[in-house]
Amino acid sequence: GAVVSQHPSWVICKSGTSVKIECRSLDFQATTMFWYRQFPKQSLMLMATSNEGSKATYEQGVEKDKFLINHASLTLSTLTVTSAHPEDSSFYICSLVARSSYNEQFFGPGTRLTVL
Amino acid sequence: DAKTTQPNSMESNEEEPVHLPCNHSTISGTDYIHWYRQLPSQGPEYVIHGLTSNVNNRMASLAIAEDRKSSTLILHRATLRDAAVYYCILSAYSGGGADGLTFGKGTHLIIQP
């Protein structure tokens, strides 16, 4: 399967600051990447779909101006949490889809964000 | 995506087979059945997927009921490293397009040594 990396693996920031999370495909090109978040003891929730070269599409209830997504290349997507607040503390996970008909997704290891 | 129902938790002994059930009575003809698992503090990991026929790979087997309204993920010989939350997810085939996955609560598999 595909190898997906995320950076940083964890980050602690002060309330009001912005945090950028990178998601990289290490061994093949991904035209579509997804961003999920997971609160403690809950399941993953899809936040947005990131398409290379076009604007991301966001799920209902996810603020596009707060969670900025940039899919600059076929191997890199970034999620920026702007003006982070404690309620944004979560586990953020990206995934990418291989050129396959079956929608198998390969997930990154996740980034733990803690906002103080 | 159509909804799936899984038991909240299951327990098994190490080196024994594990059968994880999933009900998906509202599955449509184009829905693939996917299984992912998530180890603690990690991103989910793809396990297996199928459409109608049973499937085998190096990680597991997937048994799909004839009416496709249920399926079972089979771990043939569980190890402690298989302790994880297992998610059964339906994902429609859209002719090459990709859709985000809808995760339910999954089954928390506990392996006893």
Side-chain angles (χ1 to χ4, degrees):
Chain A
V3 179
V4 183
S5 71
Q6 282 185 238
H7 178 81
S9 55
W10 60 269
V11 57
I12 301 172
C13 69
K14 292 183 179 179
S15 186
T17 60
S18 294
V19 175
K20 180 186 283 188
I21 301 169
E22 292 185 348
C23 175
R24 291 184 185 271
S25 169
L26 299 184
D27 53 359
F28 69 92
Q29 297 177 335
T31 54
T32 303
M33 290 184 176
F34 299 97
W35 286 95
Y36 298 81
R37 64 181 167 184
Q38 185 175 31
F39 293 108
K41 299 194 183 301
Q42 294 187 25
S43 192
L44 281 79
M45 290 193 64
L46 178 66
M47 297 177 67
T49 301
S50 168
N51 295 296
E52 189 267 338
S54 64
K55 289 184 178 179
T57 55
Y58 292 80
E59 295 299 301
Q60 192 171 14
V62 178
E63 299 174 57
K64 62 177 182 174
D65 294 329
K66 181 170 184 62
F67 299 99
L68 302 179
I69 291 172
N70 183 16
H71 193 159
S73 74
L74 290 173
T75 59
L76 174 65
S77 176
T78 60
L79 168 69
T80 301
V81 183
T82 62
S83 188
H85 290 283
E87 57 265 29
D88 298 322
S89 298
S90 187
F91 194 45
Y92 291 87
I93 308 167
C94 70
S95 75
L96 57 87
V97 179
R99 288 193 177 274
S100 159
S101 301
Y102 308 114
N103 203 25
E104 301 139 75
Q105 296 193 13
F106 299 97
F107 288 82
T111 296
R112 176 81 56 194
L113 171 63
T114 302
V115 185
L116 302 177
Chain B
D1 292 330
K3 189 174 177 179
T4 62
T5 304
Q6 300 176 251
N8 288 332
S9 66
M10 289 185 65
E11 202 166 309
S12 181
N13 295 320
E14 198 176 10
E15 298 188 4
E16 290 186 356
V18 179
H19 292 236
L20 296 166
C22 181
N23 288 320
H24 29 79
S25 58
T26 59
I27 191 171
S28 73
T30 56
D31 283 334
Y32 281 78
I33 302 160
H34 290 247
W35 283 82
Y36 290 81
R37 70 180 186 181
Q38 185 177 24
L39 279 65
S41 298
Q42 294 187 29
E45 175 186 26
Y46 167 80
V47 177
I48 200 167
H49 77 272
L51 183 62
T52 55
S53 303
N54 295 341
V55 185
N56 298 297
N57 67 21
R58 62 176 181 81
M59 289 183 69
S61 295
L62 176 60
I64 301 173
E66 200 168 328
D67 62 5
R68 300 213 320 131
K69 293 185 176 182
S70 65
S71 61
T72 303
L73 179 70
I74 303 165
L75 306 179
H76 295 285
R77 197 161 167 266
T79 70
L80 295 176
R81 287 176 293 182
D82 292 320
V85 179
Y86 286 77
Y87 297 99
C88 168
I89 300 170
L90 302 184
S91 182
Y93 169 56
S94 56
D99 298 313
L101 298 176
T102 300
F103 285 79
K105 295 184 178 180
T107 297
H108 183 198
L109 177 63
I110 301 164
I111 304 295
Q112 298 288 357

